[in-house]
Amino acid sequence: DVKVTQSSRYLVKRTGEKVFLECVQDMDHENMFWYRQDPGLGLRLIYFSYDVKMKEKGDIPEGYSVSREKKERFSLILESASTNQTSMYLCASTPRRGWGWNEQFFGPGTRLTVL
Amino acid sequence: GEDVEQSLFLSVREGDSSVINCTYTDSSSTYLYWYKQEPGAGLQLLTYIFSNMDMKQDQRLTVLLNKKDKHLSLRIADTQTGDSAIYFCAESTGNQFYFGTGTSLTVIP
């Protein structure tokens, strides 16, 4: 079974803190994604990565950065957390590139609260 | 990103059929998907349909695709309380996925 794990299920941080969210997948997937999920807005893509050290901006990258130093690990960084970044963060991975059918495998999510 | 729209809430009685609807804008989408999110969990793929198909059936699930109207639906027959969850439709173009807003399905015993 493919497994995508996220470092924390729940996280509480203060405004201005630097926050690291870690995601690890164990199936040698090439593509990894970070989304945030908010009620009524669905999933919105923050960043994605096709390969080690490569990253692409999604729809809402402002206030976030990412790091992919190893194939299995994709980190989301909030340089200076703000209250409007309180959300559920979901990591996902897919096994291949290209235009064919692809399944996204999701981690359980990290619920981040910024006070 | 692309627009993928869903209604936010649906309530049905146990044993009835549920129909969750979705509209999308990108006519070049190759595959369309339905994901299920149970409380406190990530999303899991339920089923998918290739864009050149009109219908796909998988046990209690039926997916209908109207490509002309860019409309996708998921029908769950004999809905059970365990089907209570948030259902997301998604479309993929290349490597990117675009998800709908999610429909929260409540099954009333």
Side-chain angles (χ1 to χ4, degrees):
Chain A
D1 267 358
V2 175
K3 204 156 187 188
V4 181
T5 55
Q6 294 183 230
S7 49
S8 306
R9 293 300 303 271
Y10 300 93
L11 211 50
V12 180
K13 295 291 181 180
R14 296 215 170 267
T15 302
E17 280 192 77
K18 191 168 185 174
V19 182
F20 292 87
L21 302 182
E22 304 283 339
C23 175
V24 177
Q25 48 91 6
D26 66 358
M27 285 300 289
D28 203 35
H29 284 179
E30 291 159 327
N31 305 333
M32 295 187 75
F33 305 79
W34 274 107
Y35 296 91
R36 64 177 281 177
Q37 180 182 7
D38 299 289
L41 297 177
L43 271 67
R44 292 180 291 167
L45 181 64
I46 305 171
Y47 268 97
F48 61 102
S49 169
Y50 292 145
D51 205 345
V52 176
K53 296 194 188 297
M54 292 185 68
K55 60 185 179 185
E56 298 280 344
K57 291 181 181 178
D59 297 321
I60 51 162
E62 295 77 21
Y64 303 94
S65 62
V66 291
S67 171
R68 191 159 181 209
E69 296 296 319
K70 293 186 177 180
K71 191 174 185 179
E72 67 270 17
R73 188 179 296 268
F74 193 34
S75 303
L76 180 70
I77 303 150
L78 288 66
E79 294 289 341
S80 177
S82 63
T83 54
N84 63 12
Q85 292 178 309
T86 291
S87 187
M88 170 72 91
Y89 290 87
L90 293 167
C91 175
S93 68
T94 59
R96 63 188 70 85
R97 299 193 187 103
W99 290 82
W101 176 83
N102 223 340
E103 178 181 351
Q104 290 218 321
F105 293 87
F106 282 85
T110 296
R111 185 164 293 283
L112 173 67
T113 302
V114 183
L115 301 174
Chain B
E2 305 300 332
D3 280 335
V4 183
E5 300 282 341
Q6 299 177 240
S7 52
L8 291 181
F9 302 101
L10 178 66
S11 290
V12 297
R13 294 215 170 267
E14 191 173 14
D16 288 350
S17 291
S18 311
V19 179
I20 303 171
N21 295 300
C22 171
T23 57
Y24 60 96
T25 56
D26 187 356
S27 57
S28 67
S29 295
T30 314
Y31 289 92
L32 296 119
Y33 307 79
W34 283 103
Y35 281 80
K36 178 183 181 182
Q37 184 182 34
E38 296 186 355
L43 280 68
Q44 281 195 301
L45 181 67
L46 262 186
T47 187
Y48 67 96
I49 189 167
F50 187 44
S51 58
N52 70 352
M53 296 168 66
D54 297 325
M55 186 181 91
K56 181 179 179 182
Q57 189 142 8
D58 184 1
Q59 298 183 330
R60 292 191 297 123
L61 306 178
T62 303
V63 179
L64 294 178
L65 175 60
N66 181 328
K67 205 172 175 187
K68 175 175 161 288
D69 293 338
K70 299 191 187 73
H71 183 265
L72 182 74
S73 68
L74 174 70
R75 179 176 178 269
I76 306 172
D78 187 26
T79 312
Q80 302 298 306
T81 53
D83 294 323
S84 291
I86 302 176
Y87 291 81
F88 291 90
C89 67
E91 56 170 348
S92 69
T93 307
N95 283 305
Q96 283 206 50
F97 284 68
Y98 298 97
F99 286 86
T101 48
T103 299
S104 180
L105 173 65
T106 301
V107 181
I108 304 161

